[in-house]
Amino acid sequence: MPRNANGYRHNKSDLPEKTCVVCKRPFSWRRKWKDCWESVRYCSDKCRKDRNAANLATSQHAPP
């Protein structure tokens, strides 16, 4: 496995994880999210597009 300039090996298991609010699956940090990781909520574009459908499904099952 490649080492960085400090001699540290990067493992995918060392990356932070979150749970997608739509599909409830865990997803790991990606380099493209380095500046906005705090605001990332969805694991993919598909889940981001389906967020309204997920909100409707949970509101229909909620008691009035």
Side-chain angles (χ1 to χ4, degrees), residues 6-51:
N6 298 326
Y8 179 75
R9 287 184 175 199
H10 294 279
N11 294 324
K12 288 189 177 186
S13 61
D14 294 339
L15 297 175
E17 282 192 351
K18 286 187 178 182
T19 302
C20 179
V21 296
V22 175
C23 66
K24 309 296 185 218
R25 294 181 187 166
F27 63 96
S28 297
W29 180 89
R30 296 181 189 165
R31 186 180 301 182
K32 68 180 182 179
W33 292 331
K34 69 179 180 179
D35 296 328
C36 61
W37 177 244
E38 306 304 320
S39 62
V40 174
R41 297 176 56 199
Y42 309 104
C43 63
S44 64
D45 286 336
K46 181 183 184 310
C47 283
R48 186 176 47 80
K49 290 175 185 174
D50 292 345
R51 67 181 173 240

